[in-house]
Amino acid sequence: MRFRHPDGSTVHLAYCTNVHPAETLDGVLAQLRDHCEPVRRRLGRDRLGIGLWLARDAAHALGTDPSALRGLRTELDRRGLEVVTLNGFPYEGFGAEKVKYRVYKPDWADPERLEHTTSLARLLAGLLPDDVIEGTISTLPLAWRTAYDETRADKARTALVVLGERLDALQELTGRSIRIGLEPEPGCVVETTHDAIAPLTAIAHDRIGICVDTCHLATSFEDPHTALAALTAAGVPVVKSQLSAALHAEHPHLPEVREALASFAEPRFLHQTRTTGTADASGTVTLHGTDDLDEALAEGGSLPGTTPWRAHFHVPLHAAPAAPLTSTLPVLKAALTRLVGGPHPLTRHLEVETYTWQALPPELRPRARAQLTDGIAAELTLARDLLTDLGLKELP
């Protein structure tokens, strides 16, 4: 979906296909047929943007066979779909029964991450619509925080410098500019937007910036206006933004709230949980956290129950959890106002990323393909309405 910003530029809105996990090229083609095109039809659109997730095996098949890449581009066109952004965070196995910590490997200290991301950039240059010259890719924020010493930090920095050089060369070759965004996530080396400023300003490459995920932003209790103003002041580009909402519990000490939270503690994905501590003399607020929701709920757990909790669980944008829980949709709205509501957009690539539909409590999961189609279409409708309320005009 495309929108005209009041400054005349085009803002793209897509939904991320990691909600339909597939490891192979055949699986990706099936996604387009079974899910993406039906969402487009449900919305009554001639064209729909998708944020494509290409796992290692699918990316390898496309990168080693030019005819396969041409075939994918043809299939996108035939089904009324377009790709301007890729989700390059998960490497493989995102549809496994247990993902948890696996999603952070390989990290940016491992050669496989550089090679995979380079491959994705080359593929995206070939998938962009004819009238689009800029593509974006989100990636993991350096590494999970454990086992990340200075040696591995040096390797990661070097890899990103090399990546920047390759992206420059790619534009020289293709005329397409591909940019990469580190996506801060709780528990990682770069957990917050603030954590991203130092490493990104050290690299100082305009093709490497940040991907702001509004669920992660909220889970870390970051104020959107403060965070985005600091990125702007530091000259860190917002490459793309993922529109998502976290799980919020206002009174986590109450038994009924803990019972409701427990229904979201599931075995597939990691649900980092955070709460705020007291401010120090300088006004800085310390976060307390656990790596997963079940750890936070464990008897004698380390999280205080006197302040609100937020959990890294991407809940559907249009359907907040039932009371006594809610979502952080207000954080998303505030971030979007700052991202695209000003005289010029801070980013032109937006991606709805609710990959947890099948991880929701059983009574909330879609039981048929059509229900998932309806849910994704409803999320995109909400995002579209937020954009038009900010003065953007939906384009055909």
Side-chain angles (χ1 to χ4, degrees):
M1 301 169 74
R2 298 186 183 193
F3 298 81
R4 181 73 68 207
H5 190 274
D7 75 349
S9 62
T10 299
V11 173
H12 293 264
L13 172 66
Y15 90 89
C16 186
T17 65
N18 63 355
V19 66
H20 318 300
E23 300 292 316
T24 66
L25 178 55
D26 285 345
V28 171
L29 295 173
Q31 289 174 350
L32 306 185
R33 178 194 67 224
D34 296 339
H35 298 289
C36 302
E37 185 177 10
V39 170
R40 177 183 66 76
R41 292 185 181 277
R42 191 63 49 86
L43 289 165
R45 302 281 309 174
D46 293 331
R47 174 174 54 189
L48 177 68
I50 58 172
L52 203 56
W53 174 58
L54 296 173
R56 180 196 63 175
D57 289 349
H60 179 75
L62 290 166
T64 54
D65 184 357
S67 66
L69 183 61
R70 290 194 297 270
L72 175 57
R73 173 67 186 275
T74 298
E75 191 71 1
L76 288 165
D77 291 341
R78 185 169 77 86
R79 299 193 181 279
L81 306 169
E82 67 177 11
V83 175
V84 303
T85 190
L86 301 179
N87 186 332
F89 196 137
Y91 181 69
E92 61 183 347
F94 202 60
E97 290 186 4
K98 186 175 182 179
V99 179
K100 298 291 184 181
Y101 295 95
R102 290 173 53 190
V103 75
Y104 306 106
K105 299 297 290 182
D107 63 35
W108 274 102
D110 299 317
E112 296 90 346
R113 178 60 64 173
L114 172 60
E115 297 311 315
H116 178 63
T117 308
T118 300
S119 176
L120 292 179
R122 291 168 178 158
L123 296 175
L124 182 55
L127 291 174
L128 289 177
D130 292 338
D131 61 344
V132 175
I133 61 171
E134 181 179 296
T136 58
I137 302 172
S138 48
T139 188
L140 85 164
L142 299 181
W144 186 251
R145 69 183 185 279
T146 58
Y148 189 75
D149 55 19
E150 192 56 41
T151 298
R152 293 187 65 78
D154 286 340
K155 289 180 179 179
R157 282 191 293 267
T158 299
L160 287 170
V161 169
V162 171
L163 177 66
E165 295 168 350
R166 292 179 178 179
L167 296 176
D168 288 341
L170 184 62
Q171 182 173 28
E172 288 287 330
L173 181 65
T174 67
R176 304 292 180 89
S177 174
I178 306 300
R179 299 197 297 161
I180 309 297
L182 302 185
E183 181 185 332
E185 177 166 314
C188 292
V189 173
V190 174
E191 174 159 336
T192 66
T193 58
H194 177 77
D195 295 337
I197 291 175
L200 289 175
T201 52
I203 295 166
H205 198 294
D206 60 5
R207 296 192 206 280
I208 301 178
I210 193 170
C211 168
V212 175
D213 184 302
T214 57
C215 170
H216 304 173
L217 190 80
T219 302
S220 294
F221 287 87
E222 290 195 82
D223 173 71
H225 296 286
T226 302
L228 292 168
L231 292 173
T232 301
V236 174
V238 180
V239 169
K240 66 184 278 191
S241 179
Q242 289 172 325
L243 306 183
S244 54
L247 194 62
H248 180 95
E250 186 69 19
H251 303 292
H253 66 286
L254 297 176
E256 61 269 28
V257 176
R258 299 177 77 87
E259 182 180 357
L261 284 170
S263 69
F264 286 85
E266 53 82 38
R268 178 177 294 180
F269 300 113
L270 207 60
H271 301 297
Q272 301 93 315
T273 305
R274 299 288 185 268
T275 190
T276 57
T278 56
D280 62 18
S282 67
T284 302
V285 177
T286 302
L287 284 183
H288 302 288
T290 60
D291 283 354
D292 216 343
L293 182 55
D294 55 358
E295 297 173 19
L297 292 168
E299 187 174 352
S302 60
L303 286 193
T306 53
T307 50
W309 290 7
R310 289 178 179 173
H312 173 218
F313 195 119
H314 291 223
V315 295
L317 302 186
H318 68 292
L325 303 179
T326 186
S327 81
T328 60
L329 184 62
V331 177
L332 184 160
K333 292 179 178 179
L336 197 60
T337 298
R338 181 79 186 201
L339 287 166
V340 300
H344 303 287
L346 299 184
T347 183
R348 294 183 175 88
H349 288 184
L350 306 171
E351 177 183 63
V352 171
E353 195 211 13
T354 305
Y355 59 83
T356 45
W357 282 94
Q358 297 303 334
L360 290 167
E363 67 275 12
L364 301 179
R365 294 175 195 167
R367 293 182 295 276
R369 187 180 295 168
Q371 288 181 302
L372 179 59
T373 297
D374 289 343
I376 294 171
E379 289 194 290
L380 286 167
T381 298
L382 183 148
R384 178 194 65 195
D385 292 346
L386 292 177
L387 290 172
T388 56
D389 286 348
L390 290 171
L392 282 73
K393 180 182 178 180
E394 187 176 8
L395 298 176

